[in-house]
């Protein structure tokens, strides 16, 4: 069996701002609540290889792994995968951005499988990813909408 999740949210902000903020890897610790740090290891063409380190979990364990991520602005997609898979046999993520009248719909699709010796199974991880994705997407939406509001306020103040 393998795990599959699909989660999305609509962000009331311009596409360029949503794209730029969600693809600014070095700023992810300020965008996501779960990441303590991001270290860019290499950039080749449009692909970035980087190390993500999470805040300690409830047991004090710090999880860290290497991923690679390739954005395609023309297609409004980002493909990512874990290079250091840890407890996963594989983990692939597709980010999709769709312009709607109400804003930008950002969707995450994650396909993965846990290793046989992982401490949790695919069903547990699917539930965990769904729960966490909803939390992170809402947080990201709120932070981007706040930035959009600040930009609108600044633009209207400077145009007076």
């Amino acid at each position: 069996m393998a795990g599959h999740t699909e989660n999305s949210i609509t962000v009331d902000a311009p596409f360029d701002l949503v794209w730029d903020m969600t693809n600014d890897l070095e700023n992810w610790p300020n965008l996501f609540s779960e990441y303590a740090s991001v270290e860019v290891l290499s950039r080749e063409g449009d692909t970035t290889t980087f190390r993500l380190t999470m805040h300690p979990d409830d047991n004090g364990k710090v999880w860290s792994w290497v991923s690679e991520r390739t954005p395609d602005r023309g297609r409004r997609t980002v493909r990512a995968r874990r290079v250091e898979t840890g407890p996963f046999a594989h983990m692939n993520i597709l980010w999709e951005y769709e312009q709607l009248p109400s804003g930008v719909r950002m969707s995450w699709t994650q396909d993965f499988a846990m290793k046989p010796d992982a401490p949790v199974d695919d069903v547990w991880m699917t539930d965990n990813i769904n729960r966490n994705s909803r939390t992170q997407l809402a947080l990201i939406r709120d932070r981007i909408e706040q930035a959009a509001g600040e930009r609108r306020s600044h633009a209207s103040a400077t145009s007076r």
Side-chain angles (χ1 to χ4, degrees):
M1 186 177 151
H4 174 84
T5 65
E6 294 180 21
N7 290 279
S8 62
I9 201 159
T10 301
V11 183
D12 183 13
F15 171 80
D16 288 340
L17 182 62
V18 175
W19 179 267
D20 291 346
M21 286 185 70
T22 57
N23 286 289
D24 178 2
L25 293 176
E26 289 87 348
N27 194 49
W28 274 13
N30 298 316
L31 191 62
F32 291 81
S33 63
E34 61 190 342
Y35 300 139
S37 67
V38 176
E39 177 189 3
V40 173
L41 303 174
S42 69
R43 285 193 164 96
E44 293 184 29
D46 293 331
T47 300
T48 302
T49 303
F50 57 100
R51 174 171 294 284
L52 275 173
T53 302
M54 297 183 78
H55 294 288
D57 66 16
D58 292 340
N59 299 317
K61 173 133 175 80
V62 175
W63 296 92
S64 181
W65 63 91
V66 173
S67 290
E68 68 178 24
R69 180 178 170 80
T70 306
D72 184 336
R73 190 179 181 111
R75 288 193 170 105
R76 297 184 175 200
T77 62
V78 178
R79 294 196 178 276
R81 70 178 186 91
R82 281 192 182 205
V83 177
E84 287 180 3
T85 58
F88 292 92
H90 69 273
M91 166 61 89
N92 298 308
I93 306 171
L94 174 64
W95 294 48
E96 296 176 287
Y97 301 78
E98 179 186 3
Q99 184 67 59
L100 302 173
S102 58
V104 177
R105 184 167 196 73
M106 183 172 61
S107 302
W108 296 343
T109 302
Q110 294 173 274
D111 289 298
F112 60 92
M114 304 308 296
K115 290 179 179 172
D117 62 347
V120 298
D121 63 12
D122 293 338
V123 172
W124 186 95
M125 187 55 74
T126 298
D127 290 342
N128 185 61
I129 288 172
N130 278 325
R131 185 174 45 258
N132 189 55
S133 292
R134 286 188 290 272
T135 299
Q136 294 303 314
L137 283 164
L139 181 63
I140 291 166
R141 177 202 57 212
D142 294 349
R143 289 178 174 171
I144 294 172
E145 288 179 354
Q146 179 182 357
E150 290 168 0
R151 288 183 181 194
R152 282 191 294 271
S153 295
H154 179 74
S156 69
T158 57
S159 66
R160 291 181 199 169

